[in-house]
Amino acid sequence: MVRVLVYLLVIAALAAGAVWLADRPGEVSILWQGYRIETSVAIAAIGVVVLAFLALVAWAIVRFVFGLPSAFGYASRARRRARGFEAISRGMVAIGAGDPVAAGRYAVDARKFVANEPLTLLLEAQSAQLSGDRGQAEAAFKAMLDKPETRVLGLRGLFVEARRRGDMAAARAFADDAVRRSPSLAWANDALLDFHTAAGDWQAARTAVERRAALRLADKG
């Protein structure tokens, strides 16, 4: 609607200008490099408009030509990003289906096309867990600690891996760090309560129970 109004206003302005020039006849004389051009004011005005239009067309062509590399680059990046997210999606399906070979293949593709995406790290970690490669899984979870959006997820993964290898001190440290960063995490609060209870630290266990109740993670009971 706005474009239509602008178009109508431009047409009206041009018509008014044409009427104004018709009411004020005159001549224009141009002398340049020994050449003399004489014409009416109306024709000169039309010539100026035509030249301006041709200049705009030429500028648009120049911008288009010089913008082609950027456009191709953007299209290439968009295709790579789309292929990366497709690999992540299929990799997650493979993990859900319990197919470590397909999950690993899609994790490689995701790393190739969208290496900086948080979901790529998650796919790599879960793919490594599914295939039993604990070292690679821990490396992926540690890489998650460098990104704010995946830091807590990385802590949970490291917590699980530490418990699997029997390193309770490391597992407790990861759970404690996770609670400090996000107090409402149910898994971390439950883990700390278990650690406090196992150690016989009843005061800390009571504090953990009260915190869980305050966050409505469990009844204070």
Side-chain angles (χ1 to χ4, degrees), residues 178-207:
V179 168
R180 284 200 306 271
R181 296 180 183 278
S182 184
S184 62
L185 290 173
W187 69 267
N189 279 282
D190 290 344
L192 288 181
L193 178 58
D194 290 341
F195 286 130
H196 296 323
T197 303
D201 189 348
W202 305 116
Q203 182 59 44
R206 178 184 177 85
T207 301

mmCIF file of all heavy atoms in Angstrom, residues 178-207:
data_model
loop_
_atom_site.group_PDB
_atom_site.id
_atom_site.type_symbol
_atom_site.label_atom_id
_atom_site.label_comp_id
_atom_site.label_asym_id
_atom_site.label_seq_id
_atom_site.Cartn_x
_atom_site.Cartn_y
_atom_site.Cartn_z
ATOM 1 N N ALA A 178 27.804 -27.400 38.517
ATOM 2 C CA ALA A 178 26.535 -27.240 37.799
ATOM 3 C C ALA A 178 25.490 -26.544 38.668
ATOM 4 O O ALA A 178 24.749 -25.676 38.191
ATOM 5 C CB ALA A 178 26.023 -28.609 37.350
ATOM 6 N N VAL A 179 25.434 -26.895 39.971
ATOM 7 C CA VAL A 179 24.466 -26.256 40.871
ATOM 8 C C VAL A 179 24.787 -24.785 41.049
ATOM 9 O O VAL A 179 23.874 -23.937 41.124
ATOM 10 C CB VAL A 179 24.433 -26.991 42.228
ATOM 11 C CG1 VAL A 179 23.672 -26.175 43.273
ATOM 12 C CG2 VAL A 179 23.778 -28.356 42.066
ATOM 13 N N ARG A 180 26.060 -24.450 41.116
ATOM 14 C CA ARG A 180 26.439 -23.039 41.250
ATOM 15 C C ARG A 180 26.004 -22.241 40.030
ATOM 16 O O ARG A 180 25.574 -21.096 40.151
ATOM 17 C CB ARG A 180 27.950 -22.909 41.441
ATOM 18 C CG ARG A 180 28.445 -23.272 42.827
ATOM 19 C CD ARG A 180 29.821 -22.667 43.085
ATOM 20 N NE ARG A 180 30.774 -23.026 42.045
ATOM 21 C CZ ARG A 180 31.540 -24.111 42.079
ATOM 22 N NH1 ARG A 180 31.439 -24.945 43.097
ATOM 23 N NH2 ARG A 180 32.388 -24.376 41.099
ATOM 24 N N ARG A 181 26.118 -22.858 38.870
ATOM 25 C CA ARG A 181 25.768 -22.145 37.641
ATOM 26 C C ARG A 181 24.261 -22.122 37.404
ATOM 27 O O ARG A 181 23.731 -21.162 36.846
ATOM 28 C CB ARG A 181 26.472 -22.794 36.443
ATOM 29 C CG ARG A 181 27.988 -22.690 36.502
ATOM 30 C CD ARG A 181 28.639 -23.357 35.295
ATOM 31 N NE ARG A 181 30.090 -23.331 35.385
ATOM 32 C CZ ARG A 181 30.849 -22.306 35.042
ATOM 33 N NH1 ARG A 181 30.278 -21.204 34.584
ATOM 34 N NH2 ARG A 181 32.161 -22.364 35.139
ATOM 35 N N SER A 182 23.582 -23.196 37.790
ATOM 36 C CA SER A 182 22.139 -23.283 37.573
ATOM 37 C C SER A 182 21.517 -24.039 38.749
ATOM 38 O O SER A 182 21.405 -25.269 38.707
ATOM 39 C CB SER A 182 21.849 -24.006 36.247
ATOM 40 O OG SER A 182 20.473 -24.021 35.990
ATOM 41 N N PRO A 183 21.106 -23.323 39.794
ATOM 42 C CA PRO A 183 20.636 -23.964 41.022
ATOM 43 C C PRO A 183 19.410 -24.858 40.841
ATOM 44 O O PRO A 183 19.141 -25.694 41.704
ATOM 45 C CB PRO A 183 20.300 -22.774 41.931
ATOM 46 C CG PRO A 183 21.106 -21.639 41.395
ATOM 47 C CD PRO A 183 21.160 -21.861 39.931
ATOM 48 N N SER A 184 18.662 -24.712 39.781
ATOM 49 C CA SER A 184 17.427 -25.487 39.622
ATOM 50 C C SER A 184 17.636 -26.826 38.928
ATOM 51 O O SER A 184 16.665 -27.528 38.631
ATOM 52 C CB SER A 184 16.404 -24.669 38.826
ATOM 53 O OG SER A 184 16.890 -24.376 37.525
ATOM 54 N N LEU A 185 18.879 -27.231 38.668
ATOM 55 C CA LEU A 185 19.133 -28.500 37.994
ATOM 56 C C LEU A 185 18.810 -29.669 38.922
ATOM 57 O O LEU A 185 19.458 -29.867 39.948
ATOM 58 C CB LEU A 185 20.593 -28.583 37.553
ATOM 59 C CG LEU A 185 21.009 -27.651 36.407
ATOM 60 C CD1 LEU A 185 22.509 -27.714 36.204
ATOM 61 C CD2 LEU A 185 20.278 -28.014 35.130
ATOM 62 N N ALA A 186 17.825 -30.447 38.549
ATOM 63 C CA ALA A 186 17.397 -31.559 39.403
ATOM 64 C C ALA A 186 18.490 -32.611 39.536
ATOM 65 O O ALA A 186 18.767 -33.098 40.644
ATOM 66 C CB ALA A 186 16.123 -32.185 38.840
ATOM 67 N N TRP A 187 19.138 -32.995 38.424
ATOM 68 C CA TRP A 187 20.134 -34.054 38.483
ATOM 69 C C TRP A 187 21.312 -33.677 39.365
ATOM 70 O O TRP A 187 21.823 -34.518 40.118
ATOM 71 C CB TRP A 187 20.617 -34.407 37.071
ATOM 72 C CG TRP A 187 21.445 -33.328 36.405
ATOM 73 C CD1 TRP A 187 20.994 -32.351 35.592
ATOM 74 C CD2 TRP A 187 22.856 -33.133 36.529
ATOM 75 N NE1 TRP A 187 22.026 -31.535 35.179
ATOM 76 C CE2 TRP A 187 23.186 -31.992 35.735
ATOM 77 C CE3 TRP A 187 23.874 -33.777 37.217
ATOM 78 C CZ2 TRP A 187 24.483 -31.518 35.614
ATOM 79 C CZ3 TRP A 187 25.185 -33.307 37.099
ATOM 80 C CH2 TRP A 187 25.483 -32.185 36.303
ATOM 81 N N ALA A 188 21.733 -32.414 39.294
ATOM 82 C CA ALA A 188 22.878 -31.981 40.092
ATOM 83 C C ALA A 188 22.511 -31.917 41.579
ATOM 84 O O ALA A 188 23.303 -32.315 42.446
ATOM 85 C CB ALA A 188 23.369 -30.626 39.602
ATOM 86 N N ASN A 189 21.318 -31.422 41.890
ATOM 87 C CA ASN A 189 20.876 -31.380 43.287
ATOM 88 C C ASN A 189 20.725 -32.787 43.858
ATOM 89 O O ASN A 189 21.114 -33.049 45.006
ATOM 90 C CB ASN A 189 19.545 -30.627 43.388
ATOM 91 C CG ASN A 189 19.729 -29.117 43.380
ATOM 92 O OD1 ASN A 189 20.100 -28.518 44.369
ATOM 93 N ND2 ASN A 189 19.463 -28.497 42.228
ATOM 94 N N ASP A 190 20.166 -33.698 43.093
ATOM 95 C CA ASP A 190 20.025 -35.083 43.545
ATOM 96 C C ASP A 190 21.395 -35.721 43.785
ATOM 97 O O ASP A 190 21.595 -36.449 44.769
ATOM 98 C CB ASP A 190 19.246 -35.898 42.516
ATOM 99 C CG ASP A 190 17.783 -35.500 42.448
ATOM 100 O OD1 ASP A 190 17.306 -34.821 43.393
ATOM 101 O OD2 ASP A 190 17.125 -35.847 41.445
ATOM 102 N N ALA A 191 22.327 -35.435 42.880
ATOM 103 C CA ALA A 191 23.668 -36.011 43.022
ATOM 104 C C ALA A 191 24.348 -35.495 44.284
ATOM 105 O O ALA A 191 24.954 -36.270 45.041
ATOM 106 C CB ALA A 191 24.511 -35.679 41.789
ATOM 107 N N LEU A 192 24.259 -34.184 44.524
ATOM 108 C CA LEU A 192 24.883 -33.635 45.724
ATOM 109 C C LEU A 192 24.248 -34.196 46.994
ATOM 110 O O LEU A 192 24.945 -34.463 47.993
ATOM 111 C CB LEU A 192 24.781 -32.106 45.706
ATOM 112 C CG LEU A 192 25.686 -31.388 44.701
ATOM 113 C CD1 LEU A 192 25.499 -29.876 44.800
ATOM 114 C CD2 LEU A 192 27.154 -31.746 44.930
ATOM 115 N N LEU A 193 22.943 -34.379 46.991
ATOM 116 C CA LEU A 193 22.277 -34.966 48.157
ATOM 117 C C LEU A 193 22.801 -36.381 48.416
ATOM 118 O O LEU A 193 23.070 -36.759 49.568
ATOM 119 C CB LEU A 193 20.767 -34.988 47.930
ATOM 120 C CG LEU A 193 19.929 -35.615 49.061
ATOM 121 C CD1 LEU A 193 20.171 -34.892 50.384
ATOM 122 C CD2 LEU A 193 18.456 -35.595 48.685
ATOM 123 N N ASP A 194 22.964 -37.154 47.353
ATOM 124 C CA ASP A 194 23.497 -38.513 47.492
ATOM 125 C C ASP A 194 24.925 -38.478 48.036
ATOM 126 O O ASP A 194 25.288 -39.295 48.909
ATOM 127 C CB ASP A 194 23.477 -39.233 46.143
ATOM 128 C CG ASP A 194 22.058 -39.550 45.688
ATOM 129 O OD1 ASP A 194 21.148 -39.552 46.544
ATOM 130 O OD2 ASP A 194 21.871 -39.782 44.474
ATOM 131 N N PHE A 195 25.726 -37.554 47.528
ATOM 132 C CA PHE A 195 27.114 -37.459 47.994
ATOM 133 C C PHE A 195 27.174 -37.083 49.482
ATOM 134 O O PHE A 195 27.944 -37.655 50.251
ATOM 135 C CB PHE A 195 27.886 -36.429 47.162
ATOM 136 C CG PHE A 195 28.234 -36.912 45.779
ATOM 137 C CD1 PHE A 195 27.953 -36.133 44.663
ATOM 138 C CD2 PHE A 195 28.841 -38.136 45.583
ATOM 139 C CE1 PHE A 195 28.264 -36.565 43.397
ATOM 140 C CE2 PHE A 195 29.170 -38.586 44.305
ATOM 141 C CZ PHE A 195 28.878 -37.805 43.213
ATOM 142 N N HIS A 196 26.363 -36.103 49.876
ATOM 143 C CA HIS A 196 26.348 -35.671 51.273
ATOM 144 C C HIS A 196 25.871 -36.796 52.186
ATOM 145 O O HIS A 196 26.427 -37.014 53.275
ATOM 146 C CB HIS A 196 25.434 -34.456 51.447
ATOM 147 C CG HIS A 196 25.902 -33.237 50.716
ATOM 148 N ND1 HIS A 196 27.229 -32.902 50.602
ATOM 149 C CD2 HIS A 196 25.199 -32.245 50.067
ATOM 150 C CE1 HIS A 196 27.343 -31.773 49.907
ATOM 151 N NE2 HIS A 196 26.130 -31.370 49.574
ATOM 152 N N THR A 197 24.861 -37.520 51.740
ATOM 153 C CA THR A 197 24.336 -38.621 52.550
ATOM 154 C C THR A 197 25.364 -39.738 52.694
ATOM 155 O O THR A 197 25.560 -40.284 53.786
ATOM 156 C CB THR A 197 23.050 -39.174 51.904
ATOM 157 O OG1 THR A 197 22.096 -38.116 51.770
ATOM 158 C CG2 THR A 197 22.456 -40.273 52.751
ATOM 159 N N ALA A 198 26.028 -40.069 51.575
ATOM 160 C CA ALA A 198 27.036 -41.135 51.609
ATOM 161 C C ALA A 198 28.209 -40.760 52.507
ATOM 162 O O ALA A 198 28.802 -41.627 53.166
ATOM 163 C CB ALA A 198 27.521 -41.429 50.191
ATOM 164 N N ALA A 199 28.533 -39.473 52.545
ATOM 165 C CA ALA A 199 29.655 -39.023 53.373
ATOM 166 C C ALA A 199 29.250 -38.797 54.830
ATOM 167 O O ALA A 199 30.098 -38.508 55.677
ATOM 168 C CB ALA A 199 30.239 -37.741 52.793
ATOM 169 N N GLY A 200 27.956 -38.901 55.117
ATOM 170 C CA GLY A 200 27.488 -38.672 56.487
ATOM 171 C C GLY A 200 27.480 -37.204 56.873
ATOM 172 O O GLY A 200 27.436 -36.875 58.066
ATOM 173 N N ASP A 201 27.503 -36.334 55.877
ATOM 174 C CA ASP A 201 27.463 -34.892 56.147
ATOM 175 C C ASP A 201 25.997 -34.477 56.191
ATOM 176 O O ASP A 201 25.443 -33.967 55.224
ATOM 177 C CB ASP A 201 28.222 -34.136 55.050
ATOM 178 C CG ASP A 201 28.412 -32.658 55.375
ATOM 179 O OD1 ASP A 201 27.765 -32.171 56.319
ATOM 180 O OD2 ASP A 201 29.187 -31.991 54.654
ATOM 181 N N TRP A 202 25.375 -34.676 57.360
ATOM 182 C CA TRP A 202 23.933 -34.479 57.466
ATOM 183 C C TRP A 202 23.531 -33.007 57.387
ATOM 184 O O TRP A 202 22.440 -32.693 56.899
ATOM 185 C CB TRP A 202 23.430 -35.103 58.760
ATOM 186 C CG TRP A 202 23.819 -36.549 58.864
ATOM 187 C CD1 TRP A 202 24.650 -37.121 59.779
ATOM 188 C CD2 TRP A 202 23.407 -37.601 57.982
ATOM 189 N NE1 TRP A 202 24.787 -38.471 59.548
ATOM 190 C CE2 TRP A 202 24.035 -38.791 58.433
ATOM 191 C CE3 TRP A 202 22.587 -37.659 56.853
ATOM 192 C CZ2 TRP A 202 23.871 -40.021 57.817
ATOM 193 C CZ3 TRP A 202 22.414 -38.893 56.227
ATOM 194 C CH2 TRP A 202 23.042 -40.040 56.698
ATOM 195 N N GLN A 203 24.401 -32.140 57.839
ATOM 196 C CA GLN A 203 24.072 -30.721 57.743
ATOM 197 C C GLN A 203 24.005 -30.281 56.274
ATOM 198 O O GLN A 203 23.077 -29.582 55.858
ATOM 199 C CB GLN A 203 25.115 -29.874 58.486
ATOM 200 C CG GLN A 203 24.841 -28.377 58.481
ATOM 201 C CD GLN A 203 23.496 -28.024 59.109
ATOM 202 O OE1 GLN A 203 23.134 -28.559 60.150
ATOM 203 N NE2 GLN A 203 22.746 -27.118 58.468
ATOM 204 N N ALA A 204 25.003 -30.716 55.494
ATOM 205 C CA ALA A 204 24.996 -30.389 54.057
ATOM 206 C C ALA A 204 23.826 -31.065 53.360
ATOM 207 O O ALA A 204 23.205 -30.497 52.459
ATOM 208 C CB ALA A 204 26.321 -30.816 53.417
ATOM 209 N N ALA A 205 23.490 -32.313 53.800
ATOM 210 C CA ALA A 205 22.356 -33.011 53.209
ATOM 211 C C ALA A 205 21.060 -32.267 53.512
ATOM 212 O O ALA A 205 20.185 -32.147 52.640
ATOM 213 C CB ALA A 205 22.288 -34.438 53.746
ATOM 214 N N ARG A 206 20.938 -31.761 54.741
ATOM 215 C CA ARG A 206 19.733 -31.012 55.100
ATOM 216 C C ARG A 206 19.616 -29.742 54.249
ATOM 217 O O ARG A 206 18.537 -29.400 53.756
ATOM 218 C CB ARG A 206 19.792 -30.639 56.583
ATOM 219 C CG ARG A 206 18.606 -29.803 57.064
ATOM 220 C CD ARG A 206 18.796 -29.389 58.519
ATOM 221 N NE ARG A 206 17.710 -28.537 58.957
ATOM 222 C CZ ARG A 206 16.543 -28.963 59.431
ATOM 223 N NH1 ARG A 206 16.311 -30.276 59.542
ATOM 224 N NH2 ARG A 206 15.599 -28.124 59.820
ATOM 225 N N THR A 207 20.751 -29.068 54.052
ATOM 226 C CA THR A 207 20.754 -27.868 53.212
ATOM 227 C C THR A 207 20.338 -28.207 51.782
ATOM 228 O O THR A 207 19.584 -27.466 51.149
ATOM 229 C CB THR A 207 22.150 -27.223 53.210
ATOM 230 O OG1 THR A 207 22.525 -26.882 54.547
ATOM 231 C CG2 THR A 207 22.176 -25.983 52.341
#
